[in-house]
Amino acid sequence: MKLRLPRLRSTNLLALFAAVLLMIANRGQAEPLPLDRAIRLALAHSTTSAIANADVQRAFASYRELRNNYLPQLFVGAGLGYTYGNPLAVSGTAPSLANVVAQSTVFNLAQRQFMNAAKTEWRASLFQDQDQRNAVIQDVALTYAELAKWEARLVRLQQDEAQAQQMEQAVAERLREGVDSAMELNKAKLTAARVRLHRTEARGDADVLRRHLSTLIGLPVSAIELAPETIPALPPFVAEEDLREKAIASSPAIKLAEQHSLAESMRALGEHRAAYPSIDFSAQYARLSTFNNYTDYFPNHFQPDNATIGFALRIPLFNASQRARAEGADSAALKAKRQAEATRDQVGEETLKLQRAAEQLEAAREVAQLEYQLAQSGLEAAQIRIDAKTGTLHELADARVQAAERYLLFQDADFEYQRIRMNLLRATGDLEKWALPNPASK
């Protein structure tokens, strides 16, 4: 009997043609979005970057707050009030028509240490901002690469679905002619159902990733058209190279922990130095009134304009609560130091795990690629035999199923390798250099 594959039904052709037209129309409404532009949009639109930048500004404001204590603080007010008998102070100052007070720190060892600690925390917040920047870049790059994977899979599954339907119709015709059995028809239906399942899963994952990418970059979903060719090639991977020291030297998390530990040590030293002498500058001018009994109690020496300027020296003699506060600060500094050491060990261990995982996934990716190539060669050979009328329809069907499955496995292995390599690039501080190779694009 002559082996032939029946043509697709007109309804299937119309549905396929409509889907292609819809895809072309949707793509016509959007411009290609390269990966580097998506990353720049995300960095400008990211809420996490905005939060990290706000933390930097807050830390810098805290540092300036302590630093500005060395600048005179000027207060202008009045102490108006009724006086009965000897004029008493109103809120710490004599009753007056106008009052001007200037105060500032001149010498305070504790204050200087607190100021240095705040400055160190500000520098630490810069490392946190850099870490958040790397997180945004990694999120966009991974989302972009995975979405490109699902879109490529959808194109392949669309072809597989058409072929599966064609095969199902061929087996149904052969069943009516008494050539095939009902079991073969069920196998063909199962193959078509599996393709539809994979396509549904791919479409769902692609929609979720497209929505997530839209949220990251601030563009509507309809305006996103990927350009997978703009994803830079991953740098060569050398499994024998020890990347732990490089990761430790470039890790923002380690630098953040070390700066925080240094700041806590400075705060502890400041708490201890609170027991040292301090000197403050103070100046005051007051315009006194005549209706507050000043002329009654100071008849010979009253004058309306009065001024005082000088320095206040404070020498702490005994303060048990301050001593306890200093001991608590010492414990906090020790904790921060141990946390910095733990962060260093954790980064080194995670980098080693990523390196070994990348080595394994590179080998797994190569195996999956070779298996797919072999399956594709088997499919081509089966098609040649069909064309030469020496093969069977079921051999072709099995070869198609094998090639489709190997393609999906190769796609998954390839993306997992990309994901691990991106994580490793971030760990070693090379992610931004890879994703944004042009400095002008930052």
Side-chain angles (χ1 to χ4, degrees):
M1 180 180 178
K2 182 179 180 180
L3 296 176
R4 67 184 186 278
L5 296 179
R7 296 184 178 182
L8 291 173
R9 297 177 182 175
S10 59
T11 55
N12 294 333
L13 285 174
L14 290 176
L16 181 60
F17 183 68
V20 172
L21 287 180
L22 181 60
M23 183 181 300
I24 295 176
N26 290 336
R27 291 190 173 183
Q29 298 175 359
E31 296 182 357
L33 180 66
L35 175 60
D36 59 345
R37 181 169 179 264
I39 292 175
R40 292 196 300 271
L41 289 173
L43 291 174
H45 182 264
S46 171
T47 55
T48 56
S49 295
I51 293 173
N53 185 64
D55 288 337
V56 172
Q57 298 301 322
R58 179 187 57 81
F60 182 60
S62 299
Y63 160 65
R64 287 191 296 111
E65 177 185 359
L66 294 172
R67 184 192 63 183
N68 291 342
N69 283 329
Y70 288 92
L71 300 177
Q73 302 175 17
L74 191 64
F75 303 92
V76 178
L80 299 177
Y82 171 74
T83 300
Y84 177 78
N86 194 339
L88 303 176
V90 178
S91 297
T93 61
S96 59
L97 298 174
N99 196 306
V100 180
V101 178
Q103 296 176 340
S104 66
T105 299
V106 176
F107 176 78
N108 192 319
L109 295 177
Q111 182 75 10
R112 181 166 296 276
Q113 289 299 319
F114 294 148
M115 182 182 67
N116 292 336
K119 187 176 183 179
T120 304
E121 288 287 10
W122 166 48
R123 292 173 178 172
S125 66
L126 296 176
F127 293 116
Q128 184 177 11
D129 183 53
Q130 179 62 39
D131 191 45
Q132 291 297 327
R133 178 183 176 89
N134 291 338
V136 172
I137 293 175
Q138 183 184 22
D139 194 4
V140 175
L142 282 174
T143 303
Y144 195 99
E146 188 173 6
L147 181 57
K149 181 194 81 168
W150 289 116
E151 287 190 346
R153 179 172 294 190
L154 279 171
V155 174
R156 174 63 182 259
L157 289 174
Q158 189 174 4
Q159 300 172 359
D160 292 345
E161 185 176 14
Q163 293 174 350
Q165 291 176 352
Q166 188 179 14
M167 185 64 66
E168 182 180 349
Q169 294 169 16
V171 174
E173 182 178 343
R174 289 164 61 87
L175 178 62
R176 287 192 297 269
E177 295 175 357
V179 178
D180 276 340
S181 64
M183 184 178 67
E184 297 297 337
L185 179 60
N186 288 334
K187 288 182 179 180
K189 290 181 178 180
L190 178 60
T191 299
R194 285 174 176 169
V195 173
R196 286 193 296 271
L197 174 62
H198 291 318
R199 188 179 178 189
T200 301
E201 293 174 346
R203 184 168 55 247
D205 289 338
D207 289 343
V208 172
L209 288 170
R210 187 176 294 273
R211 173 63 61 182
H212 181 59
L213 185 61
S214 172
T215 303
L216 288 174
I217 65 179
L219 291 181
V221 173
S222 59
I224 298 177
E225 180 185 347
L226 300 187
E229 67 277 3
T230 63
I231 301 177
L234 292 168
F237 175 68
V238 181
E240 293 76 13
E241 183 181 1
D242 189 1
L243 300 177
R244 290 177 298 175
E245 293 301 325
K246 184 178 181 180
I248 291 174
S250 62
S251 172
I254 293 178
K255 295 178 181 178
L256 172 62
E258 290 176 345
Q259 290 294 311
H260 178 66
S261 174
L262 180 59
E264 289 294 337
S265 298
M266 290 178 177
R267 288 195 185 94
L269 183 58
E271 295 293 350
H272 284 284
R273 290 189 175 181
Y276 289 20
S278 62
I279 300 176
D280 295 333
F281 165 79
S282 180
Q284 182 176 6
Y285 163 79
R287 175 73 178 184
L288 304 181
S289 65
T290 58
F291 55 78
N292 287 112
N293 301 338
Y294 287 113
T295 56
D296 295 340
Y297 290 90
F298 309 99
N300 299 325
H301 302 284
F302 173 77
Q303 61 180 34
D305 296 308
N306 300 268
T308 301
I309 185 170
F311 297 90
L313 173 63
R314 295 184 179 86
I315 303 177
L317 296 179
F318 178 76
N319 191 334
S321 61
Q322 179 60 38
R323 183 182 302 172
R325 188 180 300 113
E327 293 175 354
D330 288 337
S331 300
L334 180 60
K335 176 183 176 182
K337 181 180 179 180
R338 294 294 180 260
Q339 287 177 338
E341 294 173 355
T343 302
R344 174 184 289 268
D345 295 338
Q346 181 181 2
V347 169
E349 182 179 349
E350 290 179 352
T351 302
L352 180 60
K353 289 181 179 179
L354 288 173
Q355 190 174 1
R356 294 297 172 258
E359 183 179 2
Q360 296 172 10
L361 287 173
E362 185 180 34
R365 175 179 176 272
E366 183 180 5
V367 170
Q369 184 178 15
L370 292 174
E371 289 178 345
Y372 168 61
Q373 292 174 353
L374 287 175
Q376 192 66 25
S377 299
L379 174 60
E380 294 172 357
Q383 186 64 53
I384 291 174
R385 290 194 297 271
I386 286 290
D387 295 338
K389 301 179 182 179
T390 59
T392 65
L393 186 65
H394 301 300
E395 289 178 352
L396 179 62
D398 293 339
R400 283 178 176 173
V401 171
Q402 185 76 3
E405 291 178 352
R406 295 304 178 184
Y407 173 76
L408 299 183
L409 292 175
F410 168 65
Q411 261 202 326
D412 292 337
D414 183 57
F415 174 72
E416 282 302 312
Y417 176 70
Q418 293 183 54
R419 182 179 64 82
I420 289 295
R421 287 299 309 277
M422 290 183 195
N423 289 339
L424 191 58
L425 287 173
R426 180 183 175 185
T428 57
D430 297 325
L431 179 63
E432 185 169 355
K433 187 191 308 181
W434 167 79
L436 298 174
N438 184 8
S441 65
K442 289 184 183 180

